Amino acid sequence: MNTEKDFSPLTPNIVRALNDKLYEKRKVAALEIEKLVREFVAQNNSTQIRHVIQILASEFALSQHPHSRKGGLIGLAACSIALGKDSGLYLKELIEPVLTCFNDSDSRLRYYACEALYNIVKVARGAVLPHFNLLFDGLSKLAADPDPNVKSGSELLDRLLKDIVTESNNFDLVAFVPLLRERIYSNNQYARQFIISWIHVLESVPDINLLDYLPEILDGLFQILGDNSKEIRKTCEVVLGEFLKEIKKTPSSVKFAEMANILVIHCQVADETKLTNDLIQLTAMTWMREFIQLAGRVMLPYSSGILTAVLPCLSYDDRKKNTKEAASACNHSLMKLVTPEDDEEEEEERGGSTGSPTRDDGQPKTEADSSDVLNASQESVGFSNISFFAPASADRPRVTLDLDGIVQVLDRHLHDSSTGMMTRIAVLKWLYHLYIKTPRKMFRHTDSLFPMLLKTLSDESDEVILKDLEVLAEIASSPAGQTDQGSSCESTDSKPELKIPEGAKPGQQHSMGTRALDSSPSTPSMNSYFYKFMINLLKRLSLERKLLENRGAFIIRQLCLLLHAENIFHSMADILLKEEDLKFASTMVQTLNTILLTSAELFQLRNQLKDLRTQESCALFCCLYRSWCHNPVATVSLCFLTQNYKHAYDLIQKFGDLEVTVDFLMEVDKLVQLIESPIFTYLRLQLLDVENNPYLIKALYGLLMLLPQSQAFQLLSHRLRCVPNPELMRTVDESKYMDSKHKVASKRVSQTQVDYNELLQHFDRVQSKHLEIRHQRSGRASDHPDRKLI
């Protein structure tokens, strides 16, 4: 430094001492400067005061010489002390050169700068608040300083500044928030500690409403929550907890919508291997739960993003039990926000009244109309990209449901093979709920959802299949899906569009589809999707024989509970009548027959068929009979059920012309077992009335003659030996027989309702087709050079 330069009003001794390498000499110079400035204050000579500060700043504090810089810093601090309460008039000139020294490469100099600023701020107190952003920016850098002394000094200054802010009511939060938002994304551990401590302080000051600016810093807080330092995470948890308490106290002033997408992002785990991500996810999910409960329908436009985050969590195991429970609560609360008005908004906005009614009274169907009770419950599903969704209609005055986005999310989870069981159940519950609450809008998505819903019937979980069937049953029975009413079993008017189920190969699309469309069953309570569902269900059972073997009966029984059993059997019989895969038709008839005869769900239908007292029951019998002809033993059991014993005897007489296989005999064996079951109690009691039931006895003897010497043979033989007065088994005179049956027949519809001769002819035709197919297969097998004869 040029010592000959004029530094007045600083004396040469002061200048020399300020440049000295010894701290004690610089301290003496500082005391002289303090005395000099006090004199100028007494004289009210602001010009000389500014001149002294300017010299200390430019010639010393900003000098290239390190000792000069140290002298300048202590000199500026001395000026501030001398100025006292008037230092506020010169703060900009005092603070800026000191803050510049915060960036010095010499750690000792950074420490002295921190010391100098501490003295300046201590004197000025509240007057430094207009310069708070500069001070905060400088302190945030010192917080990450590698030198422990500098860090310690910065902590003292930090505490002083916090005290000043806490005491003051003039803090400019608006000007500070942009800087806070910028600094909050620092990855340095110490900088994060500094930032979170300041947020904690500001949040605790009653006169500072940081909650208004929470949307601008919430994302950064969740970033800090993932820090490796346990202390920082703990502090951040406390801060977030305090914010959440305040949100619960004053929900009306909270900007829920601006923070919804932030929570959606952090509810999704990008890296499940990091334990800190579990904390972030749990905290975000807890916030989301509270937001949905407090904000209500305000959150509806963000439903698709929320579901993207929530649904995978429902399949977590007990290691993430808390997150799973919070996600379940979110899912349940969000579901309750969807109401019938979400199905009407579009109509109201258009000012029109188009659209199918959802119920006879014009109101959407409610869940009270259904027996299902929704319970949200639930392996984590990871998506390659964390995603969130902007509200579909943020500019509308009314809150609208983003139904398209929700359906897209639900459909994606159904298609994802890695989706956990509880998540799939939740997805299906959502679909069911949406079809109940917003049926008209949901039916726009039915064609795209339908193939995947059918494919879900192959799921490994019974509970998933049950929920899937509930959705399909609602689609098939909802008035909102009504287009054209179905017609009778013999009609050719109804031709619903056929959708091939997903997974069916072109070569496997057998003839069931197109030919079955020629007619549809009488299903007055069903809509146009019902018959389409039945066609595709049978097609899927045909393509997936394991599904038929393992779950076929289960699926059909559940459908009989969810929909009208008569409609199920009527439609399936009608479709199977046109089935060209005769082996499948026979197997399917056998399955349906077993369900009809044994399932508790079909008790009412069995009673309806037992007596054939109405034209409707006779029509149902004829419809079932024509398809049951694919399986001779099932046809006989149907005749036993409907007490058509003479016709059963006529059918058994024709069995001599059929190919008796092991499978055939096994079916006869099962029929004998069924005859001994409670279902046929009435039939066994009728054996007591030999005179009036000769054809029943002859039919049973016919079955006995078909059986080899087996356990079933012994069982039926023993039963027939119990028949009283065996000599009465002979065939009585037909007229006498009809007279004796008059009273019983009066209870049943006139026999002319059913043309039994025509039914026998139909049986012959169907069995001829089966025989022809078997011969063709036998011929192909014998032509094969490697075929071994058994």
Side-chain angles (χ1 to χ4, degrees):
M1 178 176 288
N2 185 3
T3 56
E4 297 180 358
K5 191 174 181 179
D6 183 17
F7 292 103
S8 62
L10 299 182
T11 64
N13 288 335
I14 294 175
V15 171
R16 193 163 39 250
L18 286 175
N19 288 303
D20 201 282
K21 65 180 180 178
L22 295 177
Y23 172 77
E24 292 300 327
K25 290 188 176 181
R26 295 196 300 272
K27 185 176 181 180
V28 171
L31 292 172
E32 291 296 323
I33 291 172
E34 181 182 345
K35 181 179 178 182
L36 180 65
V37 172
R38 286 186 189 278
E39 292 176 359
F40 289 147
V41 170
Q43 299 167 7
N44 200 22
N45 191 344
S46 61
T47 303
Q48 285 290 68
I49 294 172
R50 291 187 186 278
H51 189 47
V52 170
I53 294 173
Q54 192 271 331
I55 290 173
L56 290 170
S58 59
E59 301 296 335
F60 289 90
L62 302 179
S63 170
Q64 297 297 317
H65 196 278
H67 298 311
S68 298
R69 293 200 295 275
K70 294 173 185 176
L73 288 170
I74 197 170
L76 288 170
C79 288
S80 176
I81 293 170
L83 287 168
K85 63 180 181 179
D86 292 332
S87 64
L89 301 172
Y90 309 93
L91 277 177
K92 186 175 186 299
E93 294 90 338
L94 290 168
I95 289 174
E96 287 184 354
V98 177
L99 290 174
T100 302
C101 292
F102 278 9
N103 299 318
D104 200 283
S105 59
D106 186 351
S107 63
R108 291 295 298 167
L109 203 139
R110 293 197 303 274
Y111 175 79
Y112 286 132
C114 191
E115 184 181 53
L117 188 59
Y118 179 87
N119 288 316
I120 294 170
V121 171
K122 186 177 181 180
V123 172
R125 302 295 294 184
V128 301
L129 290 179
H131 309 279
F132 179 80
N133 279 17
L134 284 174
L135 297 173
F136 184 87
D137 183 51
L139 273 175
S140 66
K141 296 173 183 176
L142 289 185
D145 199 285
D147 189 273
N149 292 323
V150 176
K151 194 179 298 180
S152 176
S154 70
E155 288 172 357
L156 288 172
L157 176 58
D158 181 52
R159 282 198 292 272
L160 174 62
L161 202 56
K162 284 173 180 173
D163 290 340
I164 294 171
V165 170
T166 304
E167 296 168 359
S168 174
N169 55 6
N170 297 319
F171 183 71
D172 189 356
L173 187 61
V174 176
F176 173 61
V177 167
L179 178 62
L180 179 62
R181 185 178 61 236
E182 176 189 343
R183 289 286 185 268
I184 203 170
Y185 287 105
S186 172
N187 290 324
N188 183 276
Q189 191 176 95
Y190 298 104
R192 283 180 164 181
Q193 180 71 64
F194 172 76
I195 293 292
I196 197 66
S197 67
W198 265 101
I199 294 175
H200 194 190
V201 168
L202 293 175
E203 202 276 332
S204 64
V205 178
D207 294 331
I208 298 177
N209 188 14
L210 193 58
L211 187 62
D212 286 344
Y213 303 92
L214 183 57
E216 301 193 48
I217 63 172
L218 184 61
D219 180 58
L221 285 172
F222 275 103
Q223 298 280 359
I224 293 175
L225 190 61
D227 195 89
N228 292 326
S229 168
K230 183 178 180 180
E231 182 182 353
I232 293 175
R233 291 199 304 271
K234 186 65 178 178
T235 306
C236 192
E237 275 191 272
V238 172
V239 169
L240 286 169
E242 291 298 323
F243 273 124
L244 192 56
K245 287 180 183 177
E246 195 171 346
I247 287 171
K248 292 179 182 179
K249 291 178 182 177
T250 58
S252 59
S253 61
V254 179
K255 302 172 182 176
F256 291 105
E258 295 181 27
M259 294 183 278
N261 277 331
I262 296 172
L263 296 181
V264 166
I265 293 172
H266 292 289
C267 282
Q268 301 174 74
V269 177
D271 183 6
E272 294 186 10
T273 60
K274 292 184 66 176
L275 295 177
T276 54
N277 283 340
D278 292 343
L279 176 61
I280 294 173
Q281 187 181 35
L282 174 59
T283 306
M285 198 67 73
T286 303
W287 276 59
M288 184 69 78
R289 179 190 64 202
E290 298 298 335
F291 271 37
I292 296 172
Q293 292 174 355
L294 294 170
R297 289 179 60 83
V298 170
M299 302 296 287
L300 272 184
Y302 305 90
S303 299
S304 54
I306 295 171
L307 287 176
T308 298
V310 165
L311 288 173
C313 301
L314 301 179
S315 290
Y316 283 171
D317 54 27
D318 288 343
R319 288 174 295 178
K320 296 184 178 181
K321 182 180 179 181
N322 292 336
T323 304
K324 178 180 177 178
E325 289 176 352
S328 179
C330 286
N331 183 60
H332 186 64
S333 298
L334 186 64
M335 192 178 288
K336 290 197 296 186
L337 297 180
V338 181
T339 63
E341 71 180 69
D342 293 306
D343 206 30
E344 300 168 356
E345 284 180 4
E346 188 171 332
E347 306 298 335
E348 292 173 1
E349 287 169 9
R350 290 177 183 173
S353 58
T354 58
S356 303
T358 56
R359 239 178 24 189
D360 292 342
D361 57 4
Q363 296 298 319
K365 185 176 179 181
T366 64
E367 283 173 287
D369 300 324
S370 166
S371 60
D372 180 63
V373 178
L374 293 167
N375 294 310
S377 52
Q378 294 38 8
E379 224 139 353
S380 166
V381 181
F383 291 94
S384 57
N385 298 315
I386 289 181
S387 59
F388 62 92
F389 299 79
S393 51
D395 56 340
R396 296 185 182 181
R398 293 188 63 179
V399 174
T400 56
L401 179 68
D402 179 21
L403 187 62
D404 292 349
I406 291 175
V407 172
Q408 181 184 2
V409 172
L410 298 176
D411 188 47
R412 187 171 72 240
H413 278 84
L414 275 183
H415 276 83
D416 190 345
S417 59
S418 63
T419 301
M421 181 190 74
M422 300 310 294
T423 298
R424 295 198 300 276
I425 291 172
V427 167
L428 293 167
K429 286 181 177 180
W430 259 102
L431 289 173
Y432 180 82
H433 184 73
L434 292 173
Y435 272 108
I436 292 290
K437 297 296 184 182
T438 59
R440 285 178 290 181
K441 290 184 178 179
M442 275 303 294
F443 267 93
R444 301 170 192 167
H445 302 278
T446 298
D447 286 341
S448 62
L449 290 170
F450 200 68
M452 195 60 218
L453 289 171
L454 283 167
K455 188 175 181 180
T456 305
L457 291 175
S458 302
D459 197 274
E460 296 177 355
S461 165
D462 286 350
E463 194 172 351
V464 171
I465 294 175
L466 279 172
K467 291 300 174 187
D468 190 37
L469 288 171
E470 287 176 12
V471 178
L472 288 166
E474 182 59 30
I475 292 174
S477 61
S478 173
Q482 188 66 53
T483 53
D484 298 315
Q485 290 284 357
S487 57
S488 69
C489 189
E490 306 300 329
S491 171
T492 59
D493 295 331
S494 177
K495 296 184 179 181
E497 179 186 357
L498 173 64
K499 291 285 183 181
I500 303 300
E502 194 169 317
K505 298 178 181 178
Q508 293 176 316
Q509 295 169 9
H510 52 74
S511 61
M512 182 202 320
T514 55
R515 295 192 60 181
L517 291 174
D518 293 340
S519 62
S520 64
S522 175
T523 55
S525 62
M526 302 296 109
N527 61 32
S528 57
Y529 280 92
F530 174 77
Y531 200 57
K532 181 192 297 185
F533 174 34
M534 292 296 104
I535 291 172
N536 283 274
L537 175 59
L538 288 174
K539 184 180 291 292
R540 187 147 210 95
L541 294 174
S542 174
L543 296 174
E544 296 185 32
R545 295 301 171 89
K546 285 188 177 180
L547 177 63
L548 174 58
E549 294 170 9
N550 300 331
R551 299 287 181 77
F554 171 74
I555 289 171
I556 294 167
R557 287 201 330 269
Q558 294 303 318
L559 283 176
C560 289
L561 286 174
L562 295 166
L563 300 169
H564 201 289
E566 181 180 350
N567 289 330
I568 300 295
F569 272 75
H570 210 310
S571 59
M572 286 192 170
D574 179 70
I575 297 167
L576 289 171
L577 185 62
K578 312 295 174 64
E579 174 59 51
E580 291 186 0
D581 184 345
L582 300 184
K583 184 177 181 181
F584 167 71
S586 178
T587 304
M588 194 67 217
V589 165
Q590 182 182 358
T591 302
L592 290 171
N593 187 65
T594 303
I595 295 170
L596 176 62
L597 295 179
T598 61
S599 298
E601 296 88 349
L602 278 84
F603 175 79
Q604 186 177 352
L605 186 60
R606 283 196 296 272
N607 284 344
Q608 183 180 344
L609 287 168
K610 187 188 296 184
D611 294 327
L612 300 181
R613 294 183 178 182
T614 64
Q615 292 184 2
E616 290 77 11
S617 60
C618 288
L620 176 61
F621 166 72
C622 291
C623 191
L624 295 181
Y625 181 96
R626 294 179 187 280
S627 290
W628 261 232
C629 287
H630 284 297
N631 189 295
V633 179
T635 312
V636 170
S637 65
L638 180 63
C639 291
F640 282 161
L641 176 66
T642 56
Q643 303 183 62
N644 285 299
Y645 302 133
K646 184 177 185 304
H647 193 71
Y649 172 70
D650 293 339
L651 286 173
I652 293 172
Q653 289 288 90
K654 294 179 176 291
F655 283 8
D657 299 327
L658 303 180
E659 182 181 357
V660 178
T661 63
V662 174
D663 289 339
F664 179 88
L665 293 175
M666 288 178 64
E667 289 181 38
V668 176
D669 190 300
K670 291 178 183 177
L671 177 56
V672 171
Q673 302 294 334
L674 279 173
I675 291 172
E676 294 297 321
S677 70
I679 297 295
F680 283 113
T681 299
Y682 68 91
L683 181 146
R684 298 194 301 274
L685 289 173
Q686 288 173 352
L687 291 173
L688 297 173
D689 188 3
V690 177
E691 182 179 356
N692 291 323
N693 295 290
Y695 287 106
L696 169 58
I697 299 171
K698 294 182 71 172
L700 293 178
Y701 266 104
L703 292 178
L704 186 67
M705 294 303 107
L706 287 171
L707 287 168
Q709 297 285 325
S710 62
Q711 184 178 356
F713 176 90
Q714 299 297 332
L715 188 65
L716 183 55
S717 175
H718 183 71
R719 173 64 66 183
L720 289 172
R721 284 200 300 271
C722 295
V723 175
N725 301 320
E727 66 276 6
L728 296 179
M729 289 173 56
R730 65 181 181 277
T731 305
V732 299
D733 181 72
E734 189 70 21
S735 60
K736 182 179 179 182
Y737 169 71
M738 292 305 297
D739 289 340
S740 65
K741 291 285 290 182
H742 177 71
K743 291 182 180 181
V744 178
S746 63
K747 296 181 181 180
R748 296 163 64 94
V749 175
S750 172
Q751 297 297 310
T752 57
Q753 294 279 345
V754 180
D755 187 347
Y756 288 100
N757 289 328
E758 192 275 331
L759 292 181
L760 281 174
Q761 292 171 11
H762 178 78
F763 179 85
D764 290 339
R765 289 194 298 270
V766 172
Q767 289 306 311
S768 295
K769 288 183 180 179
H770 278 266
L771 186 61
E772 182 181 348
I773 293 297
R774 280 196 291 270
H775 287 166
Q776 290 175 358
R777 288 176 180 169
S778 177
R780 287 196 296 268
S782 62
D783 291 340
H784 198 287
D786 297 329
R787 185 72 174 181
K788 292 183 179 180
L789 297 176
I790 300 177

